[in-house]
């Protein structure tokens, strides 16, 4: 069974750093890109960026480029989303999702979401 | 960036009836459109891709149609578990892939 299990909720202060995780199981991790999606409170979905676990090649939505970093650890089948300096506007639920096999851009399995709260 | 506009924002339908949700793209995206369902407190779930292909395990009550700039998601004979928010998403143009703002399907 394919599963993406994300790390737990976080409460941080502005300016702090953070890394959240997404551990994949039930399939070959290097076979599918992993994407991160943001959902701000009461709002819709935003595609942040994606990574090819095979070689860590990344694509970022220009709106998020330079503010977040996506990475993977193939040895543990885990993807990461990282911030070096959080802002209050980063408060959101963040989902990782797997690319549907052979269809670039479609997300077939999702993690349960990680709530990140940034407040002073 | 391709803009996806979903209509209506909220749709009120009685159980057992049919619901029709629309998604319009700001430019042609061929058939590179997916639909997702999201219930409160849950992650989105893939329903449809390539505009009309049902994802694995999705009920035949869900059907998608359209190409170019106009797309439709139809849910026949609504059941209680179908009331949720529905998002369309284009994957024709990067960067970035984009989602519509969502349609909330509520019980009438």
């Amino acid at each position: 069974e394919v599963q993406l299990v994300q790390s737990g909720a976080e409460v941080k202060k502005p300016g702090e750093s953070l890394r959240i995780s997404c551990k994949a199981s039930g399939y070959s991790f290097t076979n599918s890109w992993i994407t991160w999606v943001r959902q701000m409170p009461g709002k819709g979905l935003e595609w942040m960026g994606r990574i090819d676990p095979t070689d860590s090649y990344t694509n970022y939505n220009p709106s998020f480029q330079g503010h977040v970093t996506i990475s993977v650890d193939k040895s543990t089948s885990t993807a990461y989303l990282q911030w070096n300096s959080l802002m209050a506007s980063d408060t959101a639920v963040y989902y990782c999702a797997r690319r549907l096999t052979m269809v670039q851009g479609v997300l077939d399995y999702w993690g349960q979401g990680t709530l990140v709260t940034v407040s002073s | 960036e391709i803009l996806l506009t979903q209509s209506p924002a909220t749709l009120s339908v009685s159980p057992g009836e049919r619901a029709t949700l629309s998604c319009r793209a700001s430019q042609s995206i061929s058939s590179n459109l997916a639909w997702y369902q999201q219930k409160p407190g849950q992650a989105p779930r893939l329903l449809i891709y390539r505009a009309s292909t049902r994802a694995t395990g999705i009920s035949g009550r869900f059907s998608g149609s359209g190409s170019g700039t106009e797309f439709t998601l139809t849910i026949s004979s609504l059941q209680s578990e179908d009331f949720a928010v529905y998002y369309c998403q284009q994957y024709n143009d990067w960067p970035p892939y984009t989602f519509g703002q969502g349609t909330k399907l509520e019980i009438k």
Side-chain angles (χ1 to χ4, degrees), chain A residues 37 39 43-50 59-63 95 100 102-108 110-113, chain B residues 1 33-34 36 38 41-46 48-50 56 87 89-91 94-102:
Chain A
V37 175
Q39 187 166 40
K43 301 299 184 183
L45 305 168
E46 299 172 272
W47 191 295
M48 300 176 69
R50 55 186 178 172
N59 289 150
Y60 291 95
N61 179 338
S63 296
Y95 294 101
L100 176 65
M102 302 303 290
V103 186
Q104 191 68 267
V106 177
L107 306 173
D108 65 344
W110 294 63
Q112 82 277 18
Chain B
E1 175 173 322
L33 186 98
Y36 300 85
Q38 187 178 34
Q42 295 185 18
R45 177 173 71 140
L46 175 65
I48 300 281
Y49 62 97
R50 288 186 186 134
T56 301
Y87 294 96
Q89 176 235 324
Q90 69 83 18
Y91 52 98
W94 174 271
Y97 296 143
T98 49
F99 293 90
Q101 83 281 13

Side-chain angles (χ1 to χ4, degrees), chain B:
Chain B
E1 175 173 322
I2 294 177
L3 181 66
L4 297 178
T5 302
Q6 293 187 241
S7 61
T10 304
L11 181 61
S12 299
V13 183
S14 300
E17 294 189 339
R18 174 188 302 221
T20 302
L21 290 67
S22 296
C23 177
R24 174 176 293 176
S26 59
Q27 63 190 73
S28 177
I29 56 172
S30 186
S31 295
N32 296 316
L33 186 98
W35 291 93
Y36 300 85
Q37 175 195 67
Q38 187 178 34
K39 297 179 180 179
Q42 295 185 18
R45 177 173 71 140
L46 175 65
L47 300 174
I48 300 281
Y49 62 97
R50 288 186 186 134
S52 62
T53 302
R54 273 191 298 277
T56 301
I58 299 302
S59 167
R61 295 183 294 102
F62 292 88
S63 62
S65 63
S67 66
T69 62
E70 300 283 343
F71 300 87
T72 300
L73 174 69
T74 301
I75 313 169
S76 64
S77 189
L78 279 164
Q79 319 239 315
S80 58
E81 63 265 28
D82 299 333
F83 293 95
V85 178
Y86 291 83
Y87 294 96
C88 57
Q89 176 235 324
Q90 69 83 18
Y91 52 98
N92 190 71
D93 266 21
W94 174 271
Y97 296 143
T98 49
F99 293 90
Q101 83 281 13
T103 289
K104 182 180 180 180
L105 179 58
E106 64 177 26
I107 300 175
K108 186 174 182 180

Side-chain angles (χ1 to χ4, degrees), chain A residues 61-103:
Chain A
N61 179 338
S63 296
F64 294 92
Q65 180 98 43
H67 185 54
V68 298
T69 301
I70 297 171
S71 61
V72 294
D73 180 343
K74 284 193 292 185
S75 69
T76 59
S77 299
T78 302
Y80 298 98
L81 178 65
Q82 179 176 336
W83 295 260
N84 289 333
S85 182
L86 286 159
M87 303 182 297
S89 57
D90 292 318
T91 295
V93 175
Y94 294 87
Y95 294 101
C96 63
R98 186 191 81 156
R99 186 201 82 172
L100 176 65
T101 303
M102 302 303 290
V103 186

